[in-house]
Amino acid sequence: MTRRRAALAALAAVVAVLAAYPAFASGYGVRATLQVFMWIVLASSWNLISGLTGYVSFGHVAFFGAGAYAGAILVAKAGWPWLPAALAGGVAAVLLALVIGYPCLRLRGPYFAIAMLGLNEVLRALVSYFEGLTGGGNGLSLPTLDATIPIYYAMGASAAMVTLVTHAIITSRFGLRLMTIREDEVAAEAMGIDTGRHKLYAFLLSAAGPGIAGALTARDQGYIEPISVFPLATTITMIVMVLFGGKGTVWGPVLGAVVLFVAQEVVWTRYPYVHPLLFGAIIVAVVLLMPRGVLGILQIRYRLPRTI
Amino acid sequence: MNVHITPTMLGQVVISGILSGALYAMVALGLALIFGVMRIINVAHGPLLMLGAYTTYFLYSALGINPYLTVPVSMLVLFVVGVLLERTLVFRVVDAPELSSLLLTFGISIALVNLAQLLFTSDLRAVEYLTGSWVVGPFALSKSRLVAFVFAGALTGLAFLFLGWTKLGKAIRATSQSREVAMVCGINVQRIHLITFGLAAALAAAGGALIAVIVAIQPEMGQIWTFKSFLVIVLGGAGNYPGALLGGVLLGLIEQVASLFLTTQLSEVVAYVLLVVILLVQPTGLLGGRQT
């Protein structure tokens, strides 16, 4: 168990450094790390539904946007403090997931994937339509507040929480049932697993993180508009992060989020038009050539446990 | 909103709905064929339609060819693109779990859209060919939409004749009913997959070519067509090819009727709510599933 101990010690060290980081970091450093936390929340949440059950969500950014609007409206119109508003953003996203997930996840097959493909456009249209509440296309401004550092901690706690929840699920019977659904849904049903309900629970869990992250991001940026909180590119990025890192694992999405965020900042911002094209190519390549992702390959090569 | 609806308005709505419904039906038939034969939902169906639209646009603007004469050219070009995509990438995931085929075609779709953005820029482009309307009695018929309806009707009819009467068409239907039995009967299933994918891309291209004359085009125009085609299939019953016709016309009518009461902005919302409600109450579609 020395390897396990060493891993835990390293993890504790990373958490300690990240917790102390804002005390000595530059403004850019804090902001970039905050972004990494956000991507960890988004990627790990996508992994909960799509990596574990095999049901692909093509519109996960919808929960980010729903959380952003729910949180921003509560702050701007009802005067809520940002922390409860962020939690309310998570609740709003879970409720939305319930409405979409209940009809679509009862069925096997591609229904869920396509329903999620359309959800984003629909929310954008709705937000633009209900101008009185959302400001429509003009966007919604929040009262000014310098809370980057508290939001850094809140986002970091969310990232840690989502990762912990993923670990708890993957090491539990619930997680085994989800993975059974992924491998063979008919067999899962034959063994008495209530597949519809399990898929729905996984989906509801996967919506909470993006909802909270959306509300926190809205508070941090102080201004949201339909185009900025519902971009298809965000969904694409979380999918690429999970596939690259290794879907269905605890640390794969984290690895993917960190590596791809750094790559994006350092290299790809110089080629703004090539990089989405590259993302499409990465998805195709990973699906065909290394479906288990980087972590999956490491697990096999170095005989690492399945539950990392 | 308080709208007073006259019989003329209703007639106009029914006409417009049927006109756009034929286009929906043709494009959705392509998606239904791939789903029926290969058990894959091709998320790149809409982006293939977009490529068809650009083929027509460039043939028209650069060479001055009548856009309606470019429809078969666009179909041929996209048939080849479809065959190449199947041969190089898609055939690898035919028997893989659904996750792989969905993600693969999603990746292809992102790559196609961004390639188009890189090559053609995001500018809106229009084929200004047949503008204006014919007025028949109290109704106005948009010329480009009427011609598109005729084309879509004819091409869909041809597709059904092909599926119903030719040896190849029967082989496609046989494969869609049972791949194993089709193999035992001596059908080369790999070849059928190839042809089906090409054919589906050609149907999408025909849709794109006709749409290019109706509205301005841009690289992101396609994705909504993947969604709408899927909705048409769900309405008609997945795996049920005649169902796609009914589904297409129904979607056209529903969207038009909704536009009477709501702003056009919300017509996509109506289509979406429709999808969710149908999945809730009648997931096998209105005509029931899988009859070929």
Side-chain angles (χ1 to χ4, degrees), chain A residues 58 103 106-107 109-111 114-115 119 122 128 247 273 276-277 280 283, chain B residues 41 98-99 102-103 106-107 110-111 114 118 230 265 272 276 279-280 283:
Chain A
F58 285 136
R106 291 184 312 158
L107 308 166
Y111 300 98
I114 303 291
L119 180 62
V122 166
S128 308
K247 61 180 191 297
Y273 295 106
L277 177 64
I283 294 181
Chain B
I41 281 291
E98 196 166 67
L99 176 101
L102 281 168
L103 284 173
F106 182 64
I110 296 162
N114 287 291
L118 211 58
F230 184 79
Q265 216 182 7
Y272 193 79
V276 172
L279 290 182
L280 201 58

PDB file of all heavy atoms in Angstrom, chain A residues 58 103 106-107 109-111 114-115 119 122 128 247 273 276-277 280 283, chain B residues 41 98-99 102-103 106-107 110-111 114 118 230 265 272 276 279-280 283:
ATOM      1  N   PHE A  58     -24.748  15.534 -25.925  1.00  0.00           N
ATOM      2  CA  PHE A  58     -24.179  16.502 -26.856  1.00  0.00           C
ATOM      3  C   PHE A  58     -24.533  17.932 -26.478  1.00  0.00           C
ATOM      4  O   PHE A  58     -24.251  18.851 -27.237  1.00  0.00           O
ATOM      5  CB  PHE A  58     -24.685  16.241 -28.284  1.00  0.00           C
ATOM      6  CG  PHE A  58     -24.046  15.065 -28.937  1.00  0.00           C
ATOM      7  CD1 PHE A  58     -24.803  14.158 -29.637  1.00  0.00           C
ATOM      8  CD2 PHE A  58     -22.680  14.883 -28.870  1.00  0.00           C
ATOM      9  CE1 PHE A  58     -24.214  13.073 -30.257  1.00  0.00           C
ATOM     10  CE2 PHE A  58     -22.084  13.803 -29.480  1.00  0.00           C
ATOM     11  CZ  PHE A  58     -22.853  12.892 -30.179  1.00  0.00           C
ATOM     12  N   PRO A 103     -38.203  11.682 -19.948  1.00  0.00           N
ATOM     13  CA  PRO A 103     -38.721  11.055 -21.167  1.00  0.00           C
ATOM     14  C   PRO A 103     -37.635  10.388 -22.024  1.00  0.00           C
ATOM     15  O   PRO A 103     -37.903   9.369 -22.648  1.00  0.00           O
ATOM     16  CB  PRO A 103     -39.376  12.218 -21.930  1.00  0.00           C
ATOM     17  CG  PRO A 103     -38.867  13.442 -21.331  1.00  0.00           C
ATOM     18  CD  PRO A 103     -38.401  13.131 -19.961  1.00  0.00           C
ATOM     19  N   ARG A 106     -35.727   6.877 -20.526  1.00  0.00           N
ATOM     20  CA  ARG A 106     -36.482   5.641 -20.366  1.00  0.00           C
ATOM     21  C   ARG A 106     -36.216   4.723 -21.551  1.00  0.00           C
ATOM     22  O   ARG A 106     -36.411   3.520 -21.485  1.00  0.00           O
ATOM     23  CB  ARG A 106     -37.988   5.942 -20.332  1.00  0.00           C
ATOM     24  CG  ARG A 106     -38.433   6.673 -19.105  1.00  0.00           C
ATOM     25  CD  ARG A 106     -39.929   6.818 -19.152  1.00  0.00           C
ATOM     26  NE  ARG A 106     -40.349   7.310 -20.477  1.00  0.00           N
ATOM     27  CZ  ARG A 106     -41.571   7.144 -20.974  1.00  0.00           C
ATOM     28  NH1 ARG A 106     -42.475   6.509 -20.297  1.00  0.00           N
ATOM     29  NH2 ARG A 106     -41.868   7.619 -22.158  1.00  0.00           N
ATOM     30  N   LEU A 107     -35.806   5.330 -22.684  1.00  0.00           N
ATOM     31  CA  LEU A 107     -35.649   4.579 -23.918  1.00  0.00           C
ATOM     32  C   LEU A 107     -34.195   4.234 -24.134  1.00  0.00           C
ATOM     33  O   LEU A 107     -33.304   4.964 -23.743  1.00  0.00           O
ATOM     34  CB  LEU A 107     -36.139   5.440 -25.095  1.00  0.00           C
ATOM     35  CG  LEU A 107     -37.536   6.004 -24.913  1.00  0.00           C
ATOM     36  CD1 LEU A 107     -37.783   7.094 -25.929  1.00  0.00           C
ATOM     37  CD2 LEU A 107     -38.551   4.907 -25.062  1.00  0.00           C
ATOM     38  N   GLY A 109     -31.135   3.622 -26.935  1.00  0.00           N
ATOM     39  CA  GLY A 109     -30.890   4.143 -28.273  1.00  0.00           C
ATOM     40  C   GLY A 109     -30.512   5.602 -28.300  1.00  0.00           C
ATOM     41  O   GLY A 109     -30.196   6.175 -27.257  1.00  0.00           O
ATOM     42  N   PRO A 110     -30.528   6.191 -29.481  1.00  0.00           N
ATOM     43  CA  PRO A 110     -29.920   7.507 -29.665  1.00  0.00           C
ATOM     44  C   PRO A 110     -30.813   8.678 -29.256  1.00  0.00           C
ATOM     45  O   PRO A 110     -30.433   9.816 -29.452  1.00  0.00           O
ATOM     46  CB  PRO A 110     -29.649   7.552 -31.172  1.00  0.00           C
ATOM     47  CG  PRO A 110     -30.725   6.730 -31.758  1.00  0.00           C
ATOM     48  CD  PRO A 110     -31.024   5.646 -30.759  1.00  0.00           C
ATOM     49  N   TYR A 111     -32.001   8.399 -28.693  1.00  0.00           N
ATOM     50  CA  TYR A 111     -32.941   9.490 -28.422  1.00  0.00           C
ATOM     51  C   TYR A 111     -32.341  10.554 -27.515  1.00  0.00           C
ATOM     52  O   TYR A 111     -32.465  11.748 -27.734  1.00  0.00           O
ATOM     53  CB  TYR A 111     -34.220   8.944 -27.779  1.00  0.00           C
ATOM     54  CG  TYR A 111     -34.923   7.952 -28.652  1.00  0.00           C
ATOM     55  CD1 TYR A 111     -34.757   6.591 -28.472  1.00  0.00           C
ATOM     56  CD2 TYR A 111     -35.734   8.389 -29.696  1.00  0.00           C
ATOM     57  CE1 TYR A 111     -35.383   5.677 -29.294  1.00  0.00           C
ATOM     58  CE2 TYR A 111     -36.356   7.488 -30.526  1.00  0.00           C
ATOM     59  CZ  TYR A 111     -36.182   6.133 -30.325  1.00  0.00           C
ATOM     60  OH  TYR A 111     -36.787   5.242 -31.148  1.00  0.00           O
ATOM     61  N   ILE A 114     -29.668  12.873 -29.222  1.00  0.00           N
ATOM     62  CA  ILE A 114     -30.188  13.887 -30.144  1.00  0.00           C
ATOM     63  C   ILE A 114     -31.001  14.930 -29.382  1.00  0.00           C
ATOM     64  O   ILE A 114     -30.959  16.120 -29.706  1.00  0.00           O
ATOM     65  CB  ILE A 114     -31.032  13.238 -31.246  1.00  0.00           C
ATOM     66  CG1 ILE A 114     -30.196  12.202 -31.992  1.00  0.00           C
ATOM     67  CG2 ILE A 114     -31.556  14.274 -32.202  1.00  0.00           C
ATOM     68  CD1 ILE A 114     -29.089  12.765 -32.830  1.00  0.00           C
ATOM     69  N   ALA A 115     -31.726  14.486 -28.358  1.00  0.00           N
ATOM     70  CA  ALA A 115     -32.469  15.466 -27.563  1.00  0.00           C
ATOM     71  C   ALA A 115     -31.507  16.468 -26.943  1.00  0.00           C
ATOM     72  O   ALA A 115     -31.776  17.670 -26.889  1.00  0.00           O
ATOM     73  CB  ALA A 115     -33.280  14.756 -26.479  1.00  0.00           C
ATOM     74  N   LEU A 119     -31.153  20.674 -27.208  1.00  0.00           N
ATOM     75  CA  LEU A 119     -31.508  21.407 -25.989  1.00  0.00           C
ATOM     76  C   LEU A 119     -30.873  22.791 -25.907  1.00  0.00           C
ATOM     77  O   LEU A 119     -31.509  23.774 -25.527  1.00  0.00           O
ATOM     78  CB  LEU A 119     -31.101  20.580 -24.767  1.00  0.00           C
ATOM     79  CG  LEU A 119     -31.405  21.209 -23.414  1.00  0.00           C
ATOM     80  CD1 LEU A 119     -32.892  21.416 -23.254  1.00  0.00           C
ATOM     81  CD2 LEU A 119     -30.874  20.356 -22.287  1.00  0.00           C
ATOM     82  N   VAL A 122     -32.521  25.414 -27.999  1.00  0.00           N
ATOM     83  CA  VAL A 122     -33.823  25.733 -27.446  1.00  0.00           C
ATOM     84  C   VAL A 122     -33.692  26.688 -26.266  1.00  0.00           C
ATOM     85  O   VAL A 122     -34.415  27.680 -26.163  1.00  0.00           O
ATOM     86  CB  VAL A 122     -34.529  24.435 -27.029  1.00  0.00           C
ATOM     87  CG1 VAL A 122     -35.714  24.714 -26.151  1.00  0.00           C
ATOM     88  CG2 VAL A 122     -34.947  23.671 -28.262  1.00  0.00           C
ATOM     89  N   SER A 128     -33.552  34.292 -25.056  1.00  0.00           N
ATOM     90  CA  SER A 128     -33.694  35.506 -25.852  1.00  0.00           C
ATOM     91  C   SER A 128     -35.140  35.978 -25.865  1.00  0.00           C
ATOM     92  O   SER A 128     -35.425  37.162 -25.986  1.00  0.00           O
ATOM     93  CB  SER A 128     -33.243  35.252 -27.295  1.00  0.00           C
ATOM     94  OG  SER A 128     -31.974  34.691 -27.305  1.00  0.00           O
ATOM     95  N   LYS A 247     -12.326   8.161 -20.616  1.00  0.00           N
ATOM     96  CA  LYS A 247     -13.704   8.201 -20.124  1.00  0.00           C
ATOM     97  C   LYS A 247     -13.953   7.043 -19.169  1.00  0.00           C
ATOM     98  O   LYS A 247     -13.314   5.995 -19.259  1.00  0.00           O
ATOM     99  CB  LYS A 247     -14.686   8.164 -21.295  1.00  0.00           C
ATOM    100  CG  LYS A 247     -14.619   6.933 -22.168  1.00  0.00           C
ATOM    101  CD  LYS A 247     -15.638   7.045 -23.287  1.00  0.00           C
ATOM    102  CE  LYS A 247     -15.828   5.765 -24.056  1.00  0.00           C
ATOM    103  NZ  LYS A 247     -14.671   5.268 -24.763  1.00  0.00           N
ATOM    104  N   TYR A 273      -8.830  29.639 -35.633  1.00  0.00           N
ATOM    105  CA  TYR A 273      -9.741  28.933 -36.529  1.00  0.00           C
ATOM    106  C   TYR A 273      -9.395  27.468 -36.670  1.00  0.00           C
ATOM    107  O   TYR A 273     -10.242  26.646 -36.964  1.00  0.00           O
ATOM    108  CB  TYR A 273      -9.749  29.595 -37.909  1.00  0.00           C
ATOM    109  CG  TYR A 273     -10.310  30.971 -37.837  1.00  0.00           C
ATOM    110  CD1 TYR A 273      -9.490  32.086 -37.925  1.00  0.00           C
ATOM    111  CD2 TYR A 273     -11.677  31.153 -37.607  1.00  0.00           C
ATOM    112  CE1 TYR A 273     -10.021  33.354 -37.804  1.00  0.00           C
ATOM    113  CE2 TYR A 273     -12.206  32.420 -37.478  1.00  0.00           C
ATOM    114  CZ  TYR A 273     -11.370  33.509 -37.578  1.00  0.00           C
ATOM    115  OH  TYR A 273     -11.899  34.766 -37.448  1.00  0.00           O
ATOM    116  N   PRO A 276     -10.810  24.560 -33.318  1.00  0.00           N
ATOM    117  CA  PRO A 276     -12.026  23.724 -33.308  1.00  0.00           C
ATOM    118  C   PRO A 276     -11.975  22.590 -34.323  1.00  0.00           C
ATOM    119  O   PRO A 276     -12.485  21.488 -34.065  1.00  0.00           O
ATOM    120  CB  PRO A 276     -13.153  24.701 -33.635  1.00  0.00           C
ATOM    121  CG  PRO A 276     -12.545  25.986 -33.950  1.00  0.00           C
ATOM    122  CD  PRO A 276     -11.114  25.968 -33.580  1.00  0.00           C
ATOM    123  N   LEU A 277     -11.346  22.850 -35.459  1.00  0.00           N
ATOM    124  CA  LEU A 277     -11.182  21.796 -36.467  1.00  0.00           C
ATOM    125  C   LEU A 277     -10.377  20.643 -35.871  1.00  0.00           C
ATOM    126  O   LEU A 277     -10.704  19.469 -36.013  1.00  0.00           O
ATOM    127  CB  LEU A 277     -10.470  22.385 -37.681  1.00  0.00           C
ATOM    128  CG  LEU A 277     -10.138  21.443 -38.828  1.00  0.00           C
ATOM    129  CD1 LEU A 277     -11.412  20.909 -39.436  1.00  0.00           C
ATOM    130  CD2 LEU A 277      -9.338  22.175 -39.888  1.00  0.00           C
ATOM    131  N   GLY A 280     -12.393  18.407 -33.589  1.00  0.00           N
ATOM    132  CA  GLY A 280     -13.137  17.393 -34.324  1.00  0.00           C
ATOM    133  C   GLY A 280     -12.237  16.221 -34.669  1.00  0.00           C
ATOM    134  O   GLY A 280     -12.601  15.049 -34.482  1.00  0.00           O
ATOM    135  N   ILE A 283     -11.438  14.051 -31.612  1.00  0.00           N
ATOM    136  CA  ILE A 283     -12.530  13.142 -31.245  1.00  0.00           C
ATOM    137  C   ILE A 283     -12.502  11.906 -32.138  1.00  0.00           C
ATOM    138  O   ILE A 283     -12.541  10.764 -31.667  1.00  0.00           O
ATOM    139  CB  ILE A 283     -13.900  13.857 -31.355  1.00  0.00           C
ATOM    140  CG1 ILE A 283     -14.001  14.971 -30.324  1.00  0.00           C
ATOM    141  CG2 ILE A 283     -15.031  12.853 -31.154  1.00  0.00           C
ATOM    142  CD1 ILE A 283     -15.321  15.702 -30.341  1.00  0.00           C
TER     143      ILE A 283
ATOM    144  N   ILE B  41     -26.849   6.654 -35.911  1.00  0.00           N
ATOM    145  CA  ILE B  41     -27.409   7.978 -36.160  1.00  0.00           C
ATOM    146  C   ILE B  41     -26.252   8.854 -36.598  1.00  0.00           C
ATOM    147  O   ILE B  41     -25.292   9.070 -35.860  1.00  0.00           O
ATOM    148  CB  ILE B  41     -28.084   8.548 -34.901  1.00  0.00           C
ATOM    149  CG1 ILE B  41     -29.462   7.923 -34.715  1.00  0.00           C
ATOM    150  CG2 ILE B  41     -28.253  10.054 -35.010  1.00  0.00           C
ATOM    151  CD1 ILE B  41     -30.501   8.316 -35.744  1.00  0.00           C
ATOM    152  N   GLU B  98     -22.997   2.169 -29.289  1.00  0.00           N
ATOM    153  CA  GLU B  98     -23.577   3.394 -29.823  1.00  0.00           C
ATOM    154  C   GLU B  98     -22.725   4.625 -29.530  1.00  0.00           C
ATOM    155  O   GLU B  98     -22.594   5.523 -30.355  1.00  0.00           O
ATOM    156  CB  GLU B  98     -24.928   3.576 -29.164  1.00  0.00           C
ATOM    157  CG  GLU B  98     -25.816   4.543 -29.837  1.00  0.00           C
ATOM    158  CD  GLU B  98     -27.203   4.373 -29.293  1.00  0.00           C
ATOM    159  OE1 GLU B  98     -27.390   4.685 -28.107  1.00  0.00           O
ATOM    160  OE2 GLU B  98     -28.067   3.893 -30.022  1.00  0.00           O
ATOM    161  N   LEU B  99     -22.123   4.631 -28.333  1.00  0.00           N
ATOM    162  CA  LEU B  99     -21.268   5.755 -27.944  1.00  0.00           C
ATOM    163  C   LEU B  99     -20.217   6.056 -29.014  1.00  0.00           C
ATOM    164  O   LEU B  99     -19.996   7.210 -29.375  1.00  0.00           O
ATOM    165  CB  LEU B  99     -20.582   5.384 -26.626  1.00  0.00           C
ATOM    166  CG  LEU B  99     -19.562   6.354 -26.072  1.00  0.00           C
ATOM    167  CD1 LEU B  99     -20.187   7.174 -24.980  1.00  0.00           C
ATOM    168  CD2 LEU B  99     -18.366   5.620 -25.507  1.00  0.00           C
ATOM    169  N   LEU B 102     -21.839   7.553 -32.316  1.00  0.00           N
ATOM    170  CA  LEU B 102     -22.323   8.919 -32.083  1.00  0.00           C
ATOM    171  C   LEU B 102     -21.151   9.889 -31.972  1.00  0.00           C
ATOM    172  O   LEU B 102     -21.140  10.956 -32.592  1.00  0.00           O
ATOM    173  CB  LEU B 102     -23.164   8.983 -30.811  1.00  0.00           C
ATOM    174  CG  LEU B 102     -24.600   8.478 -30.916  1.00  0.00           C
ATOM    175  CD1 LEU B 102     -25.203   8.336 -29.532  1.00  0.00           C
ATOM    176  CD2 LEU B 102     -25.447   9.428 -31.753  1.00  0.00           C
ATOM    177  N   LEU B 103     -20.144   9.508 -31.185  1.00  0.00           N
ATOM    178  CA  LEU B 103     -19.006  10.413 -30.996  1.00  0.00           C
ATOM    179  C   LEU B 103     -18.223  10.581 -32.292  1.00  0.00           C
ATOM    180  O   LEU B 103     -17.797  11.685 -32.623  1.00  0.00           O
ATOM    181  CB  LEU B 103     -18.092   9.899 -29.888  1.00  0.00           C
ATOM    182  CG  LEU B 103     -18.602  10.112 -28.476  1.00  0.00           C
ATOM    183  CD1 LEU B 103     -17.701   9.425 -27.475  1.00  0.00           C
ATOM    184  CD2 LEU B 103     -18.708  11.599 -28.153  1.00  0.00           C
ATOM    185  N   PHE B 106     -20.104  12.766 -34.574  1.00  0.00           N
ATOM    186  CA  PHE B 106     -20.075  14.114 -33.982  1.00  0.00           C
ATOM    187  C   PHE B 106     -18.737  14.789 -34.290  1.00  0.00           C
ATOM    188  O   PHE B 106     -18.694  15.957 -34.692  1.00  0.00           O
ATOM    189  CB  PHE B 106     -20.282  13.997 -32.474  1.00  0.00           C
ATOM    190  CG  PHE B 106     -20.334  15.304 -31.734  1.00  0.00           C
ATOM    191  CD1 PHE B 106     -21.342  16.207 -31.971  1.00  0.00           C
ATOM    192  CD2 PHE B 106     -19.370  15.616 -30.780  1.00  0.00           C
ATOM    193  CE1 PHE B 106     -21.398  17.406 -31.276  1.00  0.00           C
ATOM    194  CE2 PHE B 106     -19.421  16.804 -30.077  1.00  0.00           C
ATOM    195  CZ  PHE B 106     -20.435  17.701 -30.332  1.00  0.00           C
ATOM    196  N   GLY B 107     -17.644  14.032 -34.135  1.00  0.00           N
ATOM    197  CA  GLY B 107     -16.323  14.570 -34.465  1.00  0.00           C
ATOM    198  C   GLY B 107     -16.232  14.960 -35.932  1.00  0.00           C
ATOM    199  O   GLY B 107     -15.715  16.029 -36.269  1.00  0.00           O
ATOM    200  N   ILE B 110     -18.136  18.221 -36.450  1.00  0.00           N
ATOM    201  CA  ILE B 110     -17.394  19.414 -36.005  1.00  0.00           C
ATOM    202  C   ILE B 110     -16.293  19.747 -36.998  1.00  0.00           C
ATOM    203  O   ILE B 110     -16.084  20.911 -37.370  1.00  0.00           O
ATOM    204  CB  ILE B 110     -16.752  19.169 -34.632  1.00  0.00           C
ATOM    205  CG1 ILE B 110     -17.821  18.961 -33.584  1.00  0.00           C
ATOM    206  CG2 ILE B 110     -15.874  20.333 -34.224  1.00  0.00           C
ATOM    207  CD1 ILE B 110     -17.264  18.305 -32.357  1.00  0.00           C
ATOM    208  N   ALA B 111     -15.591  18.710 -37.468  1.00  0.00           N
ATOM    209  CA  ALA B 111     -14.501  18.943 -38.407  1.00  0.00           C
ATOM    210  C   ALA B 111     -15.033  19.552 -39.706  1.00  0.00           C
ATOM    211  O   ALA B 111     -14.457  20.511 -40.232  1.00  0.00           O
ATOM    212  CB  ALA B 111     -13.764  17.636 -38.681  1.00  0.00           C
ATOM    213  N   ASN B 114     -16.105  23.276 -39.160  1.00  0.00           N
ATOM    214  CA  ASN B 114     -14.990  24.203 -38.983  1.00  0.00           C
ATOM    215  C   ASN B 114     -14.113  24.295 -40.222  1.00  0.00           C
ATOM    216  O   ASN B 114     -13.531  25.340 -40.499  1.00  0.00           O
ATOM    217  CB  ASN B 114     -14.186  23.811 -37.754  1.00  0.00           C
ATOM    218  CG  ASN B 114     -14.948  24.157 -36.495  1.00  0.00           C
ATOM    219  OD1 ASN B 114     -15.126  25.329 -36.186  1.00  0.00           O
ATOM    220  ND2 ASN B 114     -15.451  23.161 -35.805  1.00  0.00           N
ATOM    221  N   LEU B 118     -13.296  27.695 -42.204  1.00  0.00           N
ATOM    222  CA  LEU B 118     -11.942  28.057 -42.594  1.00  0.00           C
ATOM    223  C   LEU B 118     -11.865  28.372 -44.082  1.00  0.00           C
ATOM    224  O   LEU B 118     -11.250  29.354 -44.497  1.00  0.00           O
ATOM    225  CB  LEU B 118     -11.032  26.862 -42.270  1.00  0.00           C
ATOM    226  CG  LEU B 118      -9.597  27.126 -41.889  1.00  0.00           C
ATOM    227  CD1 LEU B 118      -9.534  28.018 -40.680  1.00  0.00           C
ATOM    228  CD2 LEU B 118      -8.925  25.792 -41.571  1.00  0.00           C
ATOM    229  N   PHE B 230     -33.941  14.015 -37.363  1.00  0.00           N
ATOM    230  CA  PHE B 230     -34.175  12.999 -36.344  1.00  0.00           C
ATOM    231  C   PHE B 230     -35.609  13.089 -35.826  1.00  0.00           C
ATOM    232  O   PHE B 230     -36.283  12.079 -35.648  1.00  0.00           O
ATOM    233  CB  PHE B 230     -33.175  13.179 -35.201  1.00  0.00           C
ATOM    234  CG  PHE B 230     -33.290  12.116 -34.162  1.00  0.00           C
ATOM    235  CD1 PHE B 230     -32.740  10.875 -34.379  1.00  0.00           C
ATOM    236  CD2 PHE B 230     -33.946  12.356 -32.968  1.00  0.00           C
ATOM    237  CE1 PHE B 230     -32.857   9.874 -33.434  1.00  0.00           C
ATOM    238  CE2 PHE B 230     -34.058  11.365 -32.018  1.00  0.00           C
ATOM    239  CZ  PHE B 230     -33.511  10.126 -32.249  1.00  0.00           C
ATOM    240  N   GLN B 265     -38.894  32.901 -33.766  1.00  0.00           N
ATOM    241  CA  GLN B 265     -37.824  32.584 -32.832  1.00  0.00           C
ATOM    242  C   GLN B 265     -38.138  31.319 -32.045  1.00  0.00           C
ATOM    243  O   GLN B 265     -37.258  30.534 -31.732  1.00  0.00           O
ATOM    244  CB  GLN B 265     -37.717  33.755 -31.855  1.00  0.00           C
ATOM    245  CG  GLN B 265     -36.332  34.080 -31.427  1.00  0.00           C
ATOM    246  CD  GLN B 265     -36.362  35.223 -30.428  1.00  0.00           C
ATOM    247  OE1 GLN B 265     -37.407  35.665 -29.979  1.00  0.00           O
ATOM    248  NE2 GLN B 265     -35.193  35.700 -30.085  1.00  0.00           N
ATOM    249  N   TYR B 272     -38.906  21.177 -30.449  1.00  0.00           N
ATOM    250  CA  TYR B 272     -38.242  20.462 -29.369  1.00  0.00           C
ATOM    251  C   TYR B 272     -39.251  19.876 -28.384  1.00  0.00           C
ATOM    252  O   TYR B 272     -39.169  18.712 -28.011  1.00  0.00           O
ATOM    253  CB  TYR B 272     -37.294  21.401 -28.641  1.00  0.00           C
ATOM    254  CG  TYR B 272     -36.368  20.653 -27.728  1.00  0.00           C
ATOM    255  CD1 TYR B 272     -35.266  20.016 -28.244  1.00  0.00           C
ATOM    256  CD2 TYR B 272     -36.614  20.559 -26.375  1.00  0.00           C
ATOM    257  CE1 TYR B 272     -34.422  19.300 -27.431  1.00  0.00           C
ATOM    258  CE2 TYR B 272     -35.780  19.851 -25.549  1.00  0.00           C
ATOM    259  CZ  TYR B 272     -34.679  19.222 -26.079  1.00  0.00           C
ATOM    260  OH  TYR B 272     -33.853  18.508 -25.274  1.00  0.00           O
ATOM    261  N   VAL B 276     -39.926  15.888 -27.183  1.00  0.00           N
ATOM    262  CA  VAL B 276     -39.967  15.376 -25.818  1.00  0.00           C
ATOM    263  C   VAL B 276     -41.332  14.743 -25.530  1.00  0.00           C
ATOM    264  O   VAL B 276     -41.429  13.660 -24.947  1.00  0.00           O
ATOM    265  CB  VAL B 276     -39.648  16.509 -24.814  1.00  0.00           C
ATOM    266  CG1 VAL B 276     -39.877  16.041 -23.398  1.00  0.00           C
ATOM    267  CG2 VAL B 276     -38.209  16.952 -24.994  1.00  0.00           C
ATOM    268  N   LEU B 279     -41.646  11.364 -27.302  1.00  0.00           N
ATOM    269  CA  LEU B 279     -40.859  10.327 -26.623  1.00  0.00           C
ATOM    270  C   LEU B 279     -41.558   9.886 -25.348  1.00  0.00           C
ATOM    271  O   LEU B 279     -41.453   8.750 -24.916  1.00  0.00           O
ATOM    272  CB  LEU B 279     -39.461  10.836 -26.312  1.00  0.00           C
ATOM    273  CG  LEU B 279     -38.543  11.030 -27.521  1.00  0.00           C
ATOM    274  CD1 LEU B 279     -37.176  11.492 -27.084  1.00  0.00           C
ATOM    275  CD2 LEU B 279     -38.434   9.761 -28.334  1.00  0.00           C
ATOM    276  N   LEU B 280     -42.312  10.809 -24.743  1.00  0.00           N
ATOM    277  CA  LEU B 280     -43.002  10.503 -23.499  1.00  0.00           C
ATOM    278  C   LEU B 280     -44.224   9.618 -23.744  1.00  0.00           C
ATOM    279  O   LEU B 280     -44.443   8.640 -23.040  1.00  0.00           O
ATOM    280  CB  LEU B 280     -43.427  11.818 -22.839  1.00  0.00           C
ATOM    281  CG  LEU B 280     -43.705  11.809 -21.354  1.00  0.00           C
ATOM    282  CD1 LEU B 280     -42.499  11.330 -20.600  1.00  0.00           C
ATOM    283  CD2 LEU B 280     -44.078  13.220 -20.893  1.00  0.00           C
ATOM    284  N   PRO B 283     -43.249   6.580 -28.002  1.00  0.00           N
ATOM    285  CA  PRO B 283     -41.869   6.556 -28.490  1.00  0.00           C
ATOM    286  C   PRO B 283     -41.670   5.738 -29.766  1.00  0.00           C
ATOM    287  O   PRO B 283     -40.641   5.864 -30.417  1.00  0.00           O
ATOM    288  CB  PRO B 283     -41.078   5.954 -27.320  1.00  0.00           C
ATOM    289  CG  PRO B 283     -42.074   5.388 -26.408  1.00  0.00           C
ATOM    290  CD  PRO B 283     -43.372   6.045 -26.651  1.00  0.00           C
TER     291      PRO B 283
END
